[in-house]
Amino acid sequence: QVQLAESGGDLVQPGGSLRLSCAASRFMMEDYAIGWFRQAPGKEREEVSCISSAGGSITYAESVKGRFTISRDNANNVVYLQMNSLRSDDTAVYYCAASRWRLCQAPEYWGQGTQVTVSS
């Protein structure tokens, strides 16, 4: 069974940092663009960042530009989201997803999510 699994979510203070990981099993991440999405209570799911299969194309939501960095290690089937200067409005469940398209359109596989809470 194809699986994606997120890890690294935690409770952090404003201004703090976290690194989220997305690990794949039963398929090769190198064949997919991988996106990070988030959903906060009462809000729709939004795309945070996307990285193409070889890492050559990257997108970020305007709200996270300059603070978050996406990267991938295809040899180990892992994609990371480094989150710095965290703010309270970054609080959400964060999901990773795999897409056959270059920039994360219509993701085919989703993880279960990991909770990020930014609070003092």
Side-chain angles (χ1 to χ4, degrees), residues 95-114:
Y95 302 87
C96 65
S99 172
R100 295 182 183 272
W101 299 91
R102 185 170 62 89
L103 289 178
C104 301
Q105 300 96 321
E108 185 174 355
Y109 306 119
W110 291 83
Q112 292 294 109
T114 186

Side-chain angles (χ1 to χ4, degrees), residues 47-90:
E47 182 177 313
V48 176
S49 183
C50 177
I51 185 166
S52 60
S53 60
S57 296
I58 292 173
T59 64
Y60 295 102
E62 287 294 325
S63 60
V64 308
K65 284 183 178 178
R67 301 188 298 120
F68 291 10
T69 303
I70 192 170
S71 62
R72 65 190 302 157
D73 180 357
N74 284 338
N76 289 296
N77 256 4
V78 180
V79 172
Y80 301 101
L81 185 68
Q82 178 67 45
M83 305 187 296
N84 299 325
S85 302
L86 284 163
R87 310 184 309 215
S88 60
D89 59 358
D90 294 317

Side-chain angles (χ1 to χ4, degrees), residues 4-16:
L4 290 170
E6 305 92 341
S7 62
D10 205 351
L11 171 65
V12 297
Q13 293 184 329

